Amino acid sequence: MSYQFTSESVAAGHPDKICDQISDSILDACLQADPLSRVAVETLVTTNQVVLAGEVTCGAQIDYEGIAHATIARLGYTNPEWGFSDQAQVAVHIHQQSPDIAVGVDDGGAGDQGLMFGYACDETPELMPMPIMLAHQLVRGMDQAREDKRMSFLRPDGKAQVVVNYDDQGKPMGVATVILAVPYDVSQVSKSDLEDALWQQVVEPAYARYFPEKPALDRQDTNFIVNGTGVWEIGGPAADTGVTGRKIIVDTYGGMARHGGGCFSGKDPSKVDRSSAYACRFLAKNIVAKGLARRAEVRVAYVIGQAQPVSFEVETFGTATVSAAEIRSLVLGLLDMSVSGIIEGLDLRRPIYAQTAAYGHFGRVEFAWEKI
């Protein structure tokens, strides 16, 4: 039976993503100074305000306020008239990690209990679900068009949502709906010209990237919606408060796969919410890449203070080409799923995290957990 599936993504300048990137930039600074740093930092942004809170154990002094301002400027918020800029006030409420947590983590145990999932499928070259990859490509396209001045009238916030048509075999066949939301300077461009520019410079290239064998997307046959409430002038934290960790579905599989509930950003790799989710994606991707299944999900669970998972399962949804025992044997040989095994196997004590905090953590070949 044919069906549709919808996923969304958000621009790098979305308020929640500002927070994720500030938190992960702080993590990177800590790991750069001290690879054994313990970090759990949350960020909140609102009108001309940034609040940093959490726990950090690091062998160096970190310029939290400077990192926040630099991240905000990099994301394009340099105009105070927008109600939020790199001149925003920063309040820092960060203290050292609890000794009750540290006692378990110091011996290589997990930093918390929880369950984590990793997923892969053969819908795209990245072995990710088509809807989330299209949505990421759309918001990345809007951001790039603003940054390189092709669409200088755009402002640094935005969202994309796509509805993908699937056939009765679960193969993506095309796009039914494209929804874009982006703030813009109404004095520079009309709504109709904005729509034309977004279609030509953002939608058409994204569709061609993922449907290269098909004709160009027909605008007349596509439900194309830009700024559904009409004009959108002021975006960012002045319009919508942002908080670290509120875009966990955007960060992962766009709703196509299960999620354990823990966010990634602002957490050092001793936090299995992050490191184990990366490990599960690595294993699931290798199952599909090696042709052992068309779809694969790896699921694990940990308890605070213990190094090894208390549960480890692999699901292939009836698409496996070999036995479950063969698949399990393969994945258990690819990566030691203890906390230290994951950190060492994927080389996670490096300052690599700020770049993960926009456009998804998966489906991007620059990261170790995406290697085949």
Side-chain angles (χ1 to χ4, degrees):
M1 182 176 178
S2 61
Y3 61 94
Q4 295 181 326
F5 197 90
T6 305
S7 292
E8 74 159 351
S9 185
V10 298
H14 183 281
D16 294 331
K17 280 289 145 197
I18 297 171
C19 296
D20 287 346
Q21 288 166 95
I22 291 173
S23 293
D24 273 340
S25 294
I26 290 170
L27 170 60
D28 281 352
C30 292
L31 293 175
Q32 182 71 48
D34 178 2
L36 297 180
S37 294
R38 302 275 171 71
V39 179
V41 171
E42 314 292 340
T43 302
L44 179 147
V45 293
T46 187
T47 305
N48 289 323
Q49 297 284 327
V50 180
V51 179
L52 307 176
E55 302 81 48
V56 170
T57 301
C58 178
Q61 291 292 112
I62 303 299
D63 180 9
Y64 300 117
E65 184 173 347
I67 291 169
H69 282 150
T71 302
I72 294 164
R74 176 178 62 80
L75 293 173
Y77 286 96
T78 56
N79 187 345
E81 292 182 4
W82 296 343
F84 182 82
S85 74
D86 54 348
Q87 302 304 308
Q89 182 178 349
V90 180
V92 180
H93 303 280
I94 294 174
H95 56 274
Q96 192 162 348
Q97 184 184 53
S98 161
D100 294 333
I101 296 175
V103 70
V105 179
D106 290 342
D107 291 331
D112 202 353
Q113 70 180 42
L115 56 153
M116 300 87 205
F117 297 87
Y119 181 79
C121 60
D122 63 359
E123 294 180 15
T124 63
E126 299 90 352
L127 303 183
M128 286 282 289
M130 177 71 77
I132 188 63
M133 295 309 295
L134 269 172
H136 287 326
Q137 192 64 29
L138 290 168
V139 291
R140 188 190 288 270
M142 289 196 296
D143 284 349
Q144 289 175 343
R146 174 181 52 81
E147 291 167 3
D148 65 21
K149 309 301 183 184
R150 284 180 290 125
M151 298 176 69
S152 58
F153 44 80
L154 298 184
R155 290 172 173 169
D157 192 353
K159 288 185 173 185
Q161 187 166 303
V162 293
V163 179
V164 175
N165 294 324
Y166 285 79
D167 67 13
D168 56 5
Q169 301 299 310
K171 180 180 179 181
M173 299 304 293
V175 173
T177 299
V178 176
I179 303 168
L180 301 179
V182 61
Y184 66 101
D185 186 341
V186 298
S187 69
Q188 290 191 40
V189 65
S190 68
K191 176 72 180 302
S192 61
D193 286 346
L194 170 70
E195 293 173 353
D196 290 344
L198 288 171
W199 181 267
Q200 295 165 10
Q201 298 189 46
V202 176
V203 177
E204 288 183 337
Y207 183 82
R209 177 186 176 99
Y210 285 103
F211 291 95
E213 307 297 324
K214 291 184 176 292
L217 189 62
D218 189 333
R219 185 168 173 179
Q220 300 304 314
D221 292 337
T222 305
N223 185 20
F224 181 47
I225 301 169
V226 175
N227 292 346
T229 59
V231 172
W232 185 15
E233 293 187 71
I234 301 297
D240 183 16
T241 296
V243 180
T244 297
R246 286 205 302 199
K247 289 294 176 283
I248 60 176
I249 301 304
V250 170
D251 284 344
T252 53
Y253 307 102
M256 185 72 80
R258 284 176 279 202
H259 195 295
C263 81
F264 300 156
S265 290
K267 298 177 180 178
D268 75 83
S270 74
K271 279 71 171 176
V272 284
D273 279 340
R274 180 170 222 158
S275 55
S276 181
Y278 291 171
C280 289
R281 162 63 180 170
F282 172 73
L283 297 181
K285 184 176 182 181
N286 273 272
I287 291 170
V288 176
K290 295 175 187 297
L292 306 184
R294 289 186 54 232
R295 297 171 59 207
E297 178 185 81
V298 176
R299 53 183 183 263
V300 297
Y302 290 83
V303 63
I304 190 167
Q306 292 189 18
Q308 294 289 344
V310 295
S311 174
F312 180 92
E313 296 293 335
V314 179
E315 172 66 55
T316 54
F317 309 97
T319 69
T321 60
V322 298
S323 71
E326 289 178 87
I327 292 175
R328 188 179 181 90
S329 176
L330 167 78
V331 296
L332 289 176
L334 282 177
L335 185 66
D336 175 3
M337 290 296 286
S338 69
V339 179
S340 61
I342 293 170
I343 292 172
E344 293 169 10
L346 298 179
D347 196 12
L348 296 181
R349 292 201 183 278
R350 298 178 293 132
I352 59 173
Y353 295 103
Q355 60 186 308
T356 70
Y359 316 123
H361 293 243
F362 305 129
R364 299 167 59 187
V365 296
E366 63 263 37
F367 301 133
W369 49 91
E370 294 294 320
K371 303 303 181 186
I372 297 169

